Amino acid sequence: MFPNGSKVESASILMNCPAGVDNTKYCVKISQEVFIHSNVSLDKTRIVSMEMTNLAPIIGVIVASVLYAAINIEDLKVYTKLRTFAESKNLSRIIVLAILILSAPIIVSLILLALLYKVVCFWIIREVDKNFVSFLDGIDVFWSLEDEATKNVINVLGVIETISSETLVERIKQKLTAIVDNKCYSKMFYRRQEKFGWYYWRKYTDINLDEYVKILNIKNKNVELNNQDLEDVMSELSYHPLPFHDKGMFQILVTKQTIGNNATGRSDYGIIFRIDHALGDGVALIKVLCQTLSDQTENDPDNLLFMPSNYIATKENPSTNLLNTLKQLCTMIICFVDGILRKSDNHSLHGPSLLGKKLFKWTDPEENLFQMIRDIKQHEKDMHFSDILVTSLSGGLRKYFAKTMDHIPEDVAIILPVRLPNLPKLAAKNEFKLDNNFTVSVLDLPTKGKRPIKEIKRRCNLVRKSVEPLVKHYFLKVGYLFPKQILQPLLKNSQATLIFSNMPGPDSVSICGGNLIKSLVFFIPNKGTTGLGVTALYYGGVLRFSAMADARLVPTSEDLSLILDAMVDEIKQMHAAYMNQSQLI
């Protein structure tokens, strides 16, 4: 009846009890407790044994799975899959997002401290400087951040037909005098000042136009200027500050020497517009040229060439769905993180620190080039004008790398400036505002394959649908929040190889009483470690390409010709190919 050994153990206790009634009862009690304890222990042992019996199949399956994975590790490619996940973009995104979320309180605290510091500086500067107008807008601040190697000056070179350079200079001054008191153009005559890390505008009542408009006398040149002379002049001017120790915003120079004579008794001179990018973007500056100096005002550059508005999301179809709004916000956050994770280009046109000396080059006029692009676009209905231009740039870079490097990079990151739509109020009133109303997007341009126009078109369409332009626009706006000591490293561009701009231009411009500008070429400034800028400018019915590069990246201006001439050839070859297809059809 007794379980294993419990009876024997109880009997042993009774036998060892001392004599006496009470002692006997005590021993019996102890023996009963031992009996009960033995039964409970036995039950626990049985329960544990049953649990182990139930777990045995599960443990067996786990062990078998581990052994199978260990034996067949090569076939399962476990290591490869783990490494792929570790190197995946999603994992990098998660890490960056985690860092941003964890550092969010610090970032918010810095923003609040910066705003408090800015408010204090605002009151101090306004009290001390009676010429104070306002702090610079965020994007204007972006173009004010520069060093000796990257001057943020837009250069426009033209050939103008006039009686003499002296007469033209005086007439330009007269035109500018007429707009000095015009509020639309008052920003032109402000001077930029920096104090306590903040950039602000100063207004002057006494404006000396002799500092803004000058005759440029080229030393050791008593004869007509040629293209090489103009290239050297532009390169030399890249070192020169703008008026008032670089605090003025623009300068107009007219060469004393002629470029050529014509049968009318008038001569051709070089005219150079040097404008600080903080004053405004390229489209705004073309408008200034047309509206302030031009004899006619009917030309509207907005209807001509530039990056179309479909490169950026607009508010034409505003989302009323909260879920879609949250989805859009998440997309923008991911886009911002991807911008942080983007790897920098690594080849001969990108990487080394810039020298500061700039080289200039432009193509000869090609009257049929613009029409060729129109023909190609007409043949391919879903192709944009910019797709064709970017494809030609791909061919130009491919030829350059083939001539100068042992290998051709698969892709080259290029920055595309995107003009934002005008504010509804300004558009309705047809008002003009001199500002930087733009953002940028980055396109990975394939360069290794020959004429990959379909792939380029696909990537351009992705850029058009992307939220990246909006993200970059808001990011550039942070220039309004922080002093330059923080913004300088924060906004330094070190990823893309070049900036490619497609600029508008009127059919023709006659300024200051019948002086015809016969040709124009446009040069956008370098920024950060991006030391090459290429521009396509349509003017007077002619499309021309121009380039400005840092001498650290390109030894001579002739090297730039490799890119520009190949762009022209690429368009001609594309046109011939499409026209042959049309004839076959």
Side-chain angles (χ1 to χ4, degrees), residues 413-426:
I414 65 172
I415 299 174
L416 301 174
V418 182
R419 177 77 174 173
L420 293 171
N422 287 328
L423 295 175
K425 291 182 179 179
L426 294 177

Side-chain angles (χ1 to χ4, degrees), residues 156-204:
V156 183
L157 172 65
V159 175
I160 187 167
E161 181 185 276
T162 186
I163 298 173
S164 68
S165 53
E166 291 81 2
T167 303
L168 178 60
V169 165
E170 290 304 317
R171 289 183 177 178
I172 293 175
K173 290 178 184 178
Q174 292 172 9
K175 281 276 190 177
L176 293 178
T177 302
I179 65 167
V180 165
D181 296 326
N182 190 324
K183 291 183 179 180
C184 292
Y185 306 104
S186 57
K187 186 180 177 182
M188 290 177 60
F189 303 101
Y190 289 162
R191 298 182 200 172
R192 182 181 51 208
Q193 186 73 30
E194 184 267 321
K195 200 173 187 65
F196 306 130
W198 304 102
Y199 291 100
Y200 66 94
W201 297 116
R202 302 184 77 215
K203 185 177 181 180
Y204 291 82

Side-chain angles (χ1 to χ4, degrees), residues 89-110:
K89 196 171 185 178
N90 288 331
L91 179 61
S92 301
R93 285 173 173 172
I94 292 171
I95 294 172
V96 173
L97 277 172
I99 294 173
L100 290 175
I101 292 172
L102 292 174
S103 59
I106 300 174
I107 296 173
V108 172
S109 300
L110 284 174

Side-chain angles (χ1 to χ4, degrees), residues 244-287:
F244 306 107
H245 307 288
D246 235 7
K247 295 176 182 177
M249 289 290 100
F250 75 96
Q251 188 177 48
I252 301 175
L253 303 172
V254 181
T255 62
K256 185 175 182 179
Q257 291 81 0
T258 62
I259 295 178
N261 298 316
N262 54 50
T264 62
R266 300 162 70 89
S267 300
D268 293 341
Y269 294 85
I271 183 168
I272 302 168
F273 301 89
R274 304 180 65 223
I275 309 107
D276 195 299
H277 211 315
L279 183 62
D281 56 40
V283 173
L285 297 175
I286 291 290
K287 276 195 169 185

Side-chain angles (χ1 to χ4, degrees), residues 165-335:
S165 53
E166 291 81 2
T167 303
L168 178 60
V169 165
E170 290 304 317
R171 289 183 177 178
I172 293 175
K173 290 178 184 178
Q174 292 172 9
K175 281 276 190 177
L176 293 178
T177 302
I179 65 167
V180 165
D181 296 326
N182 190 324
K183 291 183 179 180
C184 292
Y185 306 104
S186 57
K187 186 180 177 182
M188 290 177 60
F189 303 101
Y190 289 162
R191 298 182 200 172
R192 182 181 51 208
Q193 186 73 30
E194 184 267 321
K195 200 173 187 65
F196 306 130
W198 304 102
Y199 291 100
Y200 66 94
W201 297 116
R202 302 184 77 215
K203 185 177 181 180
Y204 291 82
T205 55
D206 184 19
I207 297 174
N208 184 6
L209 292 176
D210 293 335
E211 291 293 323
Y212 289 106
V213 187
K214 292 182 176 182
I215 294 176
L216 179 63
N217 186 13
I218 302 172
K219 296 180 180 179
N220 302 322
K221 278 291 177 181
N222 297 320
V223 294
E224 293 181 358
L225 303 176
N226 54 35
N227 278 353
Q228 184 60 55
D229 296 328
L230 292 175
E231 289 176 19
D232 295 339
V233 167
M234 298 296 291
S235 183
E236 181 68 24
L237 287 174
S238 64
Y239 288 104
H240 288 204
L242 288 171
F244 306 107
H245 307 288
D246 235 7
K247 295 176 182 177
M249 289 290 100
F250 75 96
Q251 188 177 48
I252 301 175
L253 303 172
V254 181
T255 62
K256 185 175 182 179
Q257 291 81 0
T258 62
I259 295 178
N261 298 316
N262 54 50
T264 62
R266 300 162 70 89
S267 300
D268 293 341
Y269 294 85
I271 183 168
I272 302 168
F273 301 89
R274 304 180 65 223
I275 309 107
D276 195 299
H277 211 315
L279 183 62
D281 56 40
V283 173
L285 297 175
I286 291 290
K287 276 195 169 185
V288 168
L289 174 64
C290 293
Q291 295 184 9
T292 61
L293 301 179
S294 176
D295 298 326
Q296 69 275 6
T297 59
E298 66 272 11
N299 290 308
D300 184 8
D302 280 346
N303 295 324
L304 297 172
L305 302 178
F306 60 96
M307 286 308 223
S309 59
N310 60 356
Y311 262 94
I312 184 169
T314 62
K315 295 183 179 180
E316 293 178 358
N317 298 311
S319 175
T320 56
N321 190 318
L322 179 60
L323 183 62
N324 289 338
T325 303
L326 293 175
K327 182 180 178 181
Q328 182 83 348
L329 180 61
C330 292
T331 304
M332 294 178 70
I333 293 173
I334 293 174
C335 181

Side-chain angles (χ1 to χ4, degrees), residues 406-434:
D406 295 333
H407 71 284
I408 300 175
E410 290 286 345
D411 297 317
V412 169
I414 65 172
I415 299 174
L416 301 174
V418 182
R419 177 77 174 173
L420 293 171
N422 287 328
L423 295 175
K425 291 182 179 179
L426 294 177
K429 297 179 181 180
N430 197 25
E431 290 184 0
F432 169 74
K433 186 178 181 182
L434 191 57

